[in-house]
């Protein structure tokens, strides 16, 4: 745990004890940890006695809709006026699961301009210095884990009810690939156990998050693996790329490509996997790696992005074909790091 964790939480406590509006924001294309930490914090603050508003830059995947109070989240894309007003009026703005306003896309400029105090709770490396209080720790599995520690420090177990617990559990579960990576510390499992004591049903959470594919989504997965995956055994790498047209032909919904980038890592020997998805005006890039290979470094250098060592993302402003070529170039450049034991 961070050495100055208690002092930081005390500072946050005095901010939220003072009168005024509180908002919680998280990143564009929110994942399970983004929404899970946001809802977890919302429920913790509610039990502490303060109400807050939640705002996301765009929609979260349908497989997370069952999380308690997810309907209360304001979607900036659909309701910009409401989102802007909330951001402008906030006395405290919690930023969870991201550490640079650029990760909020268009909403970032409103966050930047906000005059309220900005509190970061996050586990990504290299946080921007613009936050008033930064609870930033890369040695935790997920932001949800850090929100749990924050709750304990703020007011103990009483601040965690079932609603907070299930939200935080889903954050940890999704960010660790169901406890298979980024969870080498016993503390992650201790916290998971405590959340189970609050009523979380593991099988239920698994089923609701992972076994909710539409038939179209399952067919898209099959198509992507069979027709669109290229394996570069000589570099221990692989990528999958999908055009907008292909997505449309599978009746694509937000979240349908979630997890797809992990699939090639199940091939023996593969150290780096990439997913390129055509969007309006750019190619969304996702990278996943094993061991010490720095996916974030490659992503920053080639794809205007960043992230964690084993999970990174970014954007390419080239065509899909050029993006694939760029990736092949990156594979040559990183050949030694990809092939070392
Ligand atoms: P994903 O591939 O799931 O979109 O992103 C994986 C991780 O990469 C995220 O948790 C986040 O840390 C990081 N990431 C994704 N997109 C971006 C981006 O555009 N810029 C930066 N700096 N990081 C990103
Ligand atoms: Mn996360």
């Amino acid at each position: 745990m961070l050495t100055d964790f208690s002092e930081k939480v005390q500072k946050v406590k005095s901010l939220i004890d003072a009168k005024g509006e509180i908002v919680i924001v998280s990143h564009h294309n929110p994942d399970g940890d983004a929404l899970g930490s946001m809802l977890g914090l919302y429920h913790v603050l509610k039990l502490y006695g303060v109400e807050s508003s939640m705002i996301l830059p765009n929609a979260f995947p349908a497989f997370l809709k069952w999380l308690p109070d997810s309907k209360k989240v304001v979607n900036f894309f659909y309701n910009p006026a409401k989102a802007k007003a909330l951001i402008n009026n906030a006395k405290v703005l919690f930023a969870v699961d991201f550490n640079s306003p650029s990760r909020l896309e268009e909403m970032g400029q409103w966050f930047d301009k906000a005059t309220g105090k900005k509190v970061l709770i996050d586990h990504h490396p290299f946080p921007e210095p613009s936050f008033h209080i930064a609870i930033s720790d890369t040695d935790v599995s997920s932001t949800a884990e850090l929100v749990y520690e924050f709750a304990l420090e703020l007011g103990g177990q009483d601040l965690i009810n079932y609603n907070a617990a299930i939200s935080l559990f889903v954050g940890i579960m999704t960010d660790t690939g169901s406890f298979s990576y980024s969870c080498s510390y016993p503390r992650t499992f201790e916290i998971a156990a405590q959340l189970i004591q609050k009523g979380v049903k593991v099988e239920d959470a698994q089923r609701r998050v992972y076994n909710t594919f539409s038939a179209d989504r399952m067919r898209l997965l099959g198509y992507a693996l069979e027709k669109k995956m290229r394996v570069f055994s000589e570099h221990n790498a692989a990528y999958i790329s999908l055009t907008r047209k292909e997505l449309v032909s599978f009746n694509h919904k937000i979240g349908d490509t979630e997890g797809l980038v992990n699939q090639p890592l199940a091939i023996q020997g593969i150290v780096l996997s990439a997913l390129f998805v055509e969007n309006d005006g750019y190619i969304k890039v996702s990278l996943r790696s094993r061991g010490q290979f720095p996916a974030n470094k490659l992503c920053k250098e080639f794809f205007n992005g960043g992230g964690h060592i084993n999970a990174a993302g970014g954007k390419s402003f080239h065509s899909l074909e050029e993006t694939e070529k760029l990736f092949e170039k990156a594979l040559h450049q990183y050949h030694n790091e990809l092939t070392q034991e």
Side-chain angles (χ1 to χ4, degrees), residues 31 103 124 284-288 304-308 311-315:
D31 56 9
R103 296 279 287 123
H124 292 89
K284 163 81 183 111
V285 177
S286 285
L287 297 182
R288 298 293 183 271
N304 310 294
H308 309 275
K315 285 177 178 173

Side-chain angles (χ1 to χ4, degrees), residues 33 97 123-124 143 175:
D33 193 30
D97 201 39
H123 69 134
H124 292 89
T143 301
D175 250 28

Side-chain angles (χ1 to χ4, degrees), residues 135-147:
I135 299 176
S136 164
D137 187 353
T138 55
D139 284 343
V140 294
S141 67
S142 53
T143 301
E145 186 174 327
L146 216 42
V147 169

